[in-house]
Amino acid sequence: MCLKMKCFNCFYTKRSDHHSHKMTNSSSKASGEPPVQTLTSQPNPKHEQPSKQDCKETAKTTQSKQEQAEGIPKEDAVVLKEWNFKTSESSITDGKTGKMTARPQSVNAKEPIKSSVSEKGDMTDSDEQRSLAKRRESKENGTYRLKRKNTMTQEKDSRKSSTTSSKKRTLNGPRRKLKKDLIPNPEVFHKIDTHAINAGRELRIRKIFSVQAITQTITEGASSDLDKLRAIWIWLCHYIEYDVQGLLGFSEKVFSPEQVILTGRAVCSGYSSVCLQMCREAGIECRKLSGYSKGGTYQHGKSFRNTETTHSWNAVCLDGQWYLLDACWGAGYVDRDKKAFIKRYEEFYFLTDPENFITNHYPEEEEWLLLESPINIEEFEKGVHKSPDFYRLNLTLIHPKHFLIVTENGEATVSMSFPQLVHFTYGISQLSGEKQQELSNSMGFLTSTQNSMKLRLMPPKPGTYELQLFAGKTPKTISFICSFQLKCPSPKILEELPENPHVCWGLQPDAKSLGLEPCNYGNDIISLGSGSFRLVLKTTRPLMVLCELSHKNLDKTLARKCLAIQPEPDQLTCNVLCPYYGYYRLSVFVRDWANEADSFENAGNFLLHCTAGAVSLNELFPSGLSSSCGPGIQTLEAGLFEFSHTEALVYTQQGKCDITFQNPQDIDLLCNLNKEQGDQPASLLSNHILFTHNGSKVTISISLPESGVYKLSLFGKTSFKQEFTFLCHYILKNTSVNKWPPFPRMYRDWKKGSVLYEPLVGRLEASSWVKFRVQVPGARRVSVEGDQSVDLQLSESGVWEGKAFTGKGPELHLAASLSEASKNTMSFLMTFSVVEPEHEKGSKAHM
């Protein structure tokens, strides 16, 4: 079968391309149309001219062998050699008499009539061949058959000896150039290609269908055999389409060169026959080869042994060396679903290196492998089916070497190397009889770097699978590269991996261009012994980051409470909580920090496996966290630095903590503290926060009322902005059972530089004396206001001090005069609540 990618089978009967077909142009004459040029048997002087000196003997011996294989009598071989094209003739004539003649072909009664195989089943051309056999028998008398039989053995021995000599000369001659050396760039053929295409179009318009005329026209100006061959190749690929209608039985198949040229359609045999004739016209030594092929409909494990050859292609001799080409596969492919030929030129099959050609082509005669170390048909059957793109991308398959992969301990691998960045994806189908069920890629773990790729396969169920790999220089140019068959006797894991729409695990191979440094994460499954994980990625420039967490039991709302992201100028940190056991996908997306118009791109995907210590749903991160947790790029841009707590998570076992940092630009700061209570909205706990400004140093004192998870939000405002802008979030985790009282409530006039030394609690006992020590920059007067007013005195150290009686409350206010105009204008700075002592509350309750 002639198979190209996911395309088609080339069906042909091996002998059919040698059948004689009469052609007539009577209809064109009657209608006044230009005469159709057809094949005649006039002698062609070109065929009498020898080709390259290195190819002369090879031409004779190989042609003789081919004639024998095709069953053409020796006398008929002379007629074949002297074919030519002549205008205004519609039949094949004898070169000597000018009369019509049918080319006799021998029929071996011992050999069964060969048949071709279709996608739908076996089909034969037996009726046509029986008719041909009768015509042959009418031409061949008993004397000729007896003479033929007596001389066949002698001719066979002679040809075998000659061919053996030819093989030795070919293999031991000058080393064949690789295609990349012979053709460094196909653009060198631009002029030749353009001429062949334009000339071919003109010939079609003029209804010229002569091999001689076409060959001479399209090779005009060609200075070498390579240039002539290129013109022939381009014409074949652009002006002959695959005969889909004939393949499907909707029309008679086209085999002969004259009908191929006239109709512009052919199966593989037609392509190779026309190529052979055109090369002869151009003085290029050419062979038509038959053999076996692999392609889109090829089934892994299929045996070609003891079967009919199913495809044909050509070999040509250039500068004393043989090269391979397949114009049928170079012209395009057949869409089996649409039952239509898709024209898509494929440069790969022009003078393909034998080491690459063997991937999908195996000749009937081993010498035409053209390999220094030939392989047998069994090795060809085991070989991995690869596409031209596999070689275009310069991929090297490291493991496995054969198409069949069997898992060991439930796991199998495919690995490749390449010189430049390549993007990969893959598809998996489970085989059940002749049916295929397409599966997700959740059974594979693909990792890729700048120069290598590894795919670990872990099927969750036993069975047989088909694996197809795709690759490209960019994610948008990915195409099929190779395929395998995977057998899994016993699975390694019983749980499917999470879906990964981005395919690649670990950092993307182009993550460096996105601003990320290489990391040690992601080359393997990350096993977690607890329900938390901290991913740190180094960066080459400031990046904005978004993360996505996926698990089979995790919805989007809950997933957001499992992530806390901290972007810093030189690194990205993502804190992850796992509330369930099993596998998680953590995907990271980045863009440049300064370019807000840029879209986020996937930079990496990490497979986490939580096996112990899953986090309680009540201990997840607070809702509404931004993508800037902890000090980072935003706080640095605001001018804040030297944070005492550099990470987003702050743990306290006492229920109290101080967060300090430098604020040299004296921007106004504001903090909010809240805690979620089940399904209830988060309660605001601002009186559990106390700001202290000491020069450029800022201290945020936090006193938590109970255990649990809190969110601290920091805002800042400069003199250039009218509103406070968000700077960062802190997540506070308190494990203390202590219930600490709140701080006094602060007001707007409690400004930078203000420090409360005593008292540091916001609840004062009623009917008690309390010492106050406070620093208020610029104050002209400071007092404590309650049942009675008490002025504090300014000490030599700049601290306002004094004692005040709390009375019965309910509140006590700290006030200051901040205006130079009047000492009597007072502004509230803080408010303290006054409460009864606990023992008095108990006494009143007892009464």
Side-chain angles (χ1 to χ4, degrees):
M1 298 181 184
C2 170
L3 309 162
K4 184 165 188 303
M5 300 289 290
K6 293 184 175 181
C7 53
F8 62 100
N9 287 353
C10 237
F11 304 106
Y12 77 105
T13 303
K14 182 178 177 182
R15 300 153 76 102
S16 298
D17 58 322
H18 306 301
H19 295 168
S20 299
H21 294 274
K22 296 183 180 180
M23 300 170 59
T24 176
N25 61 356
S26 58
S27 60
S28 63
K29 291 180 181 179
S31 61
E33 295 181 357
V36 178
Q37 298 195 19
T38 57
L39 182 66
T40 68
S41 61
Q42 295 296 326
N44 183 5
K46 271 194 174 183
H47 290 159
E48 303 303 322
Q49 298 174 1
S51 58
K52 300 292 182 181
Q53 185 64 29
D54 293 335
C55 300
K56 285 194 301 182
E57 185 177 352
T58 307
K60 295 177 182 179
T61 56
T62 311
Q63 180 178 344
S64 176
K65 184 173 182 178
Q66 183 185 22
E67 291 161 1
Q68 179 192 12
E70 294 173 347
I72 302 175
K74 186 174 182 181
E75 294 81 356
D76 193 41
V78 176
V79 177
L80 283 173
K81 184 176 181 181
E82 296 182 352
W83 278 359
N84 197 358
F85 291 89
K86 182 178 179 182
T87 307
S88 303
E89 294 294 337
S90 59
S91 60
I92 304 175
T93 59
D94 186 281
K96 298 179 180 178
T97 65
K99 298 180 181 180
M100 287 186 60
T101 178
R103 299 192 306 277
Q105 291 184 319
S106 63
V107 177
N108 189 342
K110 295 181 180 180
E111 295 183 359
I113 296 177
K114 297 183 179 181
S115 62
S116 57
V117 183
S118 73
E119 292 172 332
K120 297 179 180 179
D122 293 335
M123 51 187 295
T124 65
D125 293 330
S126 56
D127 292 339
E128 180 184 1
Q129 293 185 2
R130 280 194 295 269
S131 177
L132 289 172
K134 290 179 180 179
R135 291 202 298 271
R136 295 189 191 108
E137 289 173 357
S138 67
K139 295 287 182 180
E140 297 173 349
N141 54 40
T143 303
Y144 173 78
R145 287 196 298 271
L146 180 61
K147 178 181 178 181
R148 177 72 173 166
K149 182 177 180 181
N150 293 336
T151 59
M152 279 183 66
T153 303
Q154 181 179 354
E155 292 175 359
K156 183 176 180 181
D157 293 341
S158 175
R159 289 167 185 161
K160 183 176 181 180
S161 174
S162 177
T163 304
T164 303
S165 174
S166 173
K167 283 191 291 182
K168 290 181 180 179
R169 183 177 64 255
T170 301
L171 294 178
N172 297 330
R175 184 176 179 84
R176 181 194 307 104
K177 289 184 179 180
L178 295 176
K179 181 175 181 177
K180 66 179 181 179
D181 299 323
L182 187 67
I183 311 173
N185 189 336
E187 287 298 316
V188 300
F189 294 121
H190 176 73
K191 185 177 179 180
I192 295 172
D193 294 354
T194 302
H195 172 72
I197 293 172
N198 292 338
R201 184 186 304 112
E202 181 66 22
L203 291 168
R204 280 288 178 91
I205 294 173
R206 294 169 55 192
K207 297 186 181 300
I208 296 176
F209 303 109
S210 160
V211 169
Q212 181 184 26
I214 294 172
T215 305
Q216 289 177 351
T217 302
I218 64 177
T219 60
E220 185 178 358
S223 59
S224 66
D225 285 352
L226 176 59
D227 290 349
K228 293 176 183 179
L229 179 65
R230 178 69 180 194
I232 293 170
W233 160 266
I234 288 295
W235 184 88
L236 281 168
C237 292
H238 285 77
Y239 289 103
I240 305 299
E241 296 187 358
Y242 191 80
D243 186 11
V244 182
Q245 298 299 310
L247 170 69
L248 299 176
F250 298 143
S251 65
E252 184 179 354
K253 292 180 184 178
V254 177
F255 295 105
S256 67
E258 55 267 31
Q259 280 202 332
V260 167
I261 296 172
L262 181 63
T263 62
R265 56 188 175 89
V267 292
C268 61
S269 177
Y271 278 95
S272 54
S273 294
V274 175
C275 182
L276 176 67
Q277 294 296 330
M278 296 182 85
C279 284
R280 286 176 175 175
E281 287 292 338
I284 302 170
E285 188 168 6
C286 178
R287 294 291 178 271
K288 177 179 176 180
L289 307 179
S290 297
Y292 308 94
S293 65
K294 297 178 182 179
T297 56
Y298 169 73
Q299 297 295 322
H300 290 111
K302 176 183 177 180
S303 175
F304 295 106
R305 283 162 285 181
N306 302 320
T307 63
E308 291 290 331
T309 57
T310 55
H311 187 40
S312 64
W313 56 93
N314 296 95
V316 293
C317 187
L318 300 173
D319 295 329
Q321 290 295 321
W322 286 96
Y323 295 86
L324 302 168
L325 68 158
D326 187 342
C328 181
W329 286 19
Y333 66 93
V334 169
D335 187 319
R336 290 179 295 161
D337 296 329
K338 296 180 180 179
K339 296 180 174 60
F341 175 72
I342 308 300
K343 294 186 71 172
R344 181 185 293 174
Y345 175 72
E346 180 53 77
E347 174 71 26
F348 176 79
Y349 293 107
F350 178 64
L351 305 184
T352 316
D353 293 330
E355 294 77 11
N356 299 342
F357 205 72
I358 186 58
T359 298
N360 298 321
H361 294 71
Y362 193 90
E364 187 175 22
E365 300 176 47
E366 187 179 283
E367 65 265 28
W368 290 109
L369 288 169
L370 301 184
L371 295 172
E372 292 185 4
S373 301
I375 66 171
N376 56 33
I377 190 70
E378 289 83 0
E379 284 297 306
F380 174 70
E381 293 169 356
K382 295 177 183 178
V384 178
H385 172 39
K386 303 170 186 174
S387 77
D389 284 327
F390 182 95
Y391 299 99
R392 263 193 290 271
L393 294 170
N394 294 316
L395 303 178
T396 300
L397 184 61
I398 300 174
H399 181 81
K401 298 301 183 182
H402 296 151
F403 78 87
L404 180 61
I405 316 172
V406 181
T407 59
E408 295 183 10
N409 299 319
E411 184 173 332
T413 61
V414 176
S415 58
M416 298 183 193
S417 64
F418 33 88
Q420 295 179 332
L421 174 63
V422 177
H423 296 265
F424 289 87
T425 185
Y426 60 97
I428 298 178
S429 300
Q430 186 166 15
L431 304 179
S432 178
E434 296 182 355
K435 296 182 179 180
Q436 292 189 8
Q437 180 184 358
E438 189 172 351
L439 306 176
S440 70
N441 58 10
S442 58
M443 68 172 64
F445 185 79
L446 187 149
T447 56
S448 184
T449 67
Q450 289 279 340
N451 303 108
S452 65
M453 179 279 289
K454 182 178 180 181
L455 174 60
R456 293 171 58 190
L457 298 162
M458 295 168 282
K461 298 178 181 179
T464 303
Y465 302 83
E466 181 185 20
L467 170 67
Q468 290 187 324
L469 267 68
F470 306 84
K473 292 184 177 180
T474 68
K476 293 183 180 180
T477 60
I478 282 179
S479 60
F480 170 81
I481 55 167
C482 63
S483 61
F484 303 88
Q485 188 176 94
L486 172 67
K487 290 189 176 181
C488 178
S490 177
K492 177 179 182 178
I493 57 175
L494 300 178
E495 178 184 354
E496 287 192 7
L497 303 179
E499 291 276 358
N500 183 5
H502 314 288
V503 182
C504 185
W505 294 99
L507 286 183
Q508 290 286 5
D510 60 347
K512 186 175 182 179
S513 65
L514 300 177
L516 292 176
E517 296 281 9
C519 74
N520 295 325
Y521 300 112
N523 294 328
D524 204 342
I525 300 173
I526 303 173
S527 182
L528 307 180
S530 66
S532 62
F533 173 66
R534 186 169 179 260
L535 174 71
V536 180
L537 302 174
K538 296 294 182 180
T539 64
T540 58
R541 58 182 183 267
L543 299 176
M544 174 66 80
V545 61
L546 294 177
C547 292
E548 179 181 88
L549 189 67
S550 174
H551 183 278
K552 61 181 181 180
N553 296 329
L554 206 59
D555 60 39
K556 291 184 178 180
T557 301
L558 203 60
R560 283 192 287 268
K561 297 185 65 176
C562 296
L563 298 172
I565 304 166
Q566 183 179 8
E568 299 177 77
D570 59 349
Q571 71 177 28
L572 303 174
T573 303
C574 182
N575 296 280
V576 183
L577 298 180
C578 301
Y580 302 108
Y581 296 116
Y583 292 94
Y584 291 79
R585 171 178 58 84
L586 173 63
S587 295
V588 178
F589 305 84
V590 299
R591 69 163 173 80
D592 283 353
W593 180 271
N595 299 328
E596 295 183 4
D598 289 353
S599 59
F600 284 90
E601 296 187 49
N602 180 252
N605 307 279
F606 304 91
L607 185 59
L608 315 180
H609 188 201
C610 180
T611 58
V615 177
S616 167
L617 295 178
N618 296 325
E619 296 178 356
L620 299 180
F621 296 132
S623 301
L625 289 178
S626 76
S627 56
S628 292
C629 294
I633 301 175
Q634 288 193 174
T635 56
L636 191 61
E637 288 181 344
L640 310 181
F641 60 93
E642 289 188 7
F643 280 79
S644 59
H645 295 71
T646 58
E647 297 180 7
L649 300 182
V650 178
Y651 296 90
T652 173
Q653 297 178 345
Q654 299 178 348
K656 287 184 176 182
C657 67
D658 289 340
I659 298 175
T660 64
F661 53 88
Q662 293 292 325
N663 178 22
Q665 298 182 14
D666 290 340
I667 68 170
D668 291 334
L669 298 171
L670 177 65
C671 260
N672 285 334
L673 180 70
N674 59 49
K675 180 178 184 293
E676 295 177 342
Q677 300 288 343
D679 296 333
Q680 299 299 318
S683 56
L684 191 61
L685 304 169
S686 296
N687 58 341
H688 285 264
I689 304 170
L690 178 64
F691 266 109
T692 300
H693 301 266
N694 189 359
S696 63
K697 183 179 180 180
V698 178
T699 301
I700 304 176
S701 298
I702 304 163
S703 177
L704 301 175
E706 60 184 359
S707 62
V709 182
Y710 296 79
K711 179 174 67 175
L712 177 69
S713 306
L714 180 62
F715 302 86
K717 184 181 73 170
T718 65
S719 58
F720 303 103
K721 296 182 178 180
Q722 298 297 321
E723 298 180 352
F724 283 92
T725 58
F726 172 78
L727 298 180
C728 75
H729 282 138
Y730 272 104
I731 298 105
L732 310 177
K733 287 198 169 185
N734 178 25
T735 58
S736 173
V737 295
N738 296 328
K739 295 185 177 182
W740 298 103
F743 293 108
R745 186 165 66 251
M746 293 177 292
Y747 295 96
R748 180 175 297 181
D749 286 329
W750 182 261
K751 296 184 177 180
K752 296 184 292 292
S754 299
V755 181
L756 177 65
Y757 296 109
E758 292 183 83
L760 292 179
V761 295
R763 291 179 182 175
L764 305 177
E765 288 189 5
S767 303
S768 63
W769 289 91
V770 178
K771 184 177 181 179
F772 282 82
R773 295 179 68 248
V774 62
Q775 181 175 311
V776 184
R780 300 174 62 83
R781 176 188 170 199
V782 178
S783 64
V784 179
E785 306 288 340
D787 290 345
Q788 52 185 292
S789 178
V790 177
D791 286 342
L792 303 181
Q793 301 299 314
L794 184 62
S795 68
E796 294 180 356
S797 60
V799 177
W800 296 87
E801 300 177 339
K803 285 188 176 183
F805 188 70
T806 58
K808 294 183 179 180
E811 291 180 335
L812 210 61
H813 304 283
L814 179 66
S817 173
L818 303 175
S819 173
E820 297 181 2
S822 174
K823 284 187 177 182
N824 296 324
T825 303
M826 305 294 286
S827 301
F828 282 176
L829 303 178
M830 288 184 173
T831 295
F832 298 82
S833 60
V834 178
V835 297
E836 294 181 359
E838 292 296 328
H839 65 276
E840 291 190 6
K841 288 182 180 180
S843 299
K844 289 182 179 180
H846 181 71
M847 292 175 63

